[in-house]
Each structure stands twice: as structure tokens, then as C-alpha cells.
Amino acid sequence: MNASHTAAPTRKEGHLPRLVMAILWSSFLMACVSSGVLFSLVDPVELVLLDSQVHLSQLGTYTVGFFLFWFLGAISSALTALLLAGAEPT
């Protein structure tokens, strides 16, 4: 018997960059949708956070909101990928 057939399979080369791009791309798409929905319902000029007016321009508020949604989506996608990493394929 050949030792290469009995060894545990290793991950393919280039798996990590592909996984990172899958996480970032899916979270980017979700950030686009989330910020679009939020800012179509809420005017950034009238945004109040912790009982005080937010002192950012409209563009600044849109930018901070988008990156916040992107960060939250990336964490969610990364946790999903982490949980699926140990799962056996069916």
C-alpha cells in the first residue's frame, strides 16, 4: 500500500484566499442591501445616537453605516465558515 493513499487528505492550495474572498464578497453584497434599506427609511441628517445628534455629513453617515454593515456581515460569514470547516461533506 502506498503511504500517500493512507494519509489524511490535506486542504487544497489556495483555499484560504478563496475562502476570504467568499466571506468578503457575500458580506459586501449584504452591506449594500442593508445600507440601502436603512437609509431609504432613515434620513442621516435626523439620525440620533444615544440621545445626541450625529454630527457627520450625509456622505460620512452613509460611509460609516456601510462599513459597519460590511464588518458585521464579514463576522457573520466568517463564523459560518468556521462552523462549516469541521463539518463532514455529505
Side-chain angles (χ1 to χ4, degrees):
M1 229 185 202
N2 191 350
S4 64
H5 293 317
T6 59
T10 59
R11 292 186 183 243
K12 294 179 184 176
E13 291 294 320
H15 178 72
L16 184 61
R18 186 173 180 183
L19 179 65
V20 169
M21 286 309 299
I23 290 169
L24 291 178
W25 179 245
S26 62
S27 60
F28 174 81
L29 293 176
M30 200 59 223
C32 291
V33 172
S34 299
S35 59
V37 168
L38 175 71
F39 292 121
S40 67
L41 299 173
V42 176
D43 185 14
V45 175
E46 298 175 2
L47 191 63
V48 176
L49 185 64
L50 299 175
D51 291 335
S52 65
Q53 184 87 17
V54 175
H55 298 292
L56 287 174
S57 66
Q58 284 184 337
L59 183 60
T61 305
Y62 293 143
T63 303
V64 169
F66 175 79
F67 281 113
L68 179 66
F69 285 130
W70 196 3
F71 177 72
L72 292 174
I75 288 176
S76 173
S77 296
L79 286 174
T80 302
L82 179 69
L83 291 172
L84 289 176
E88 292 291 325
T90 57

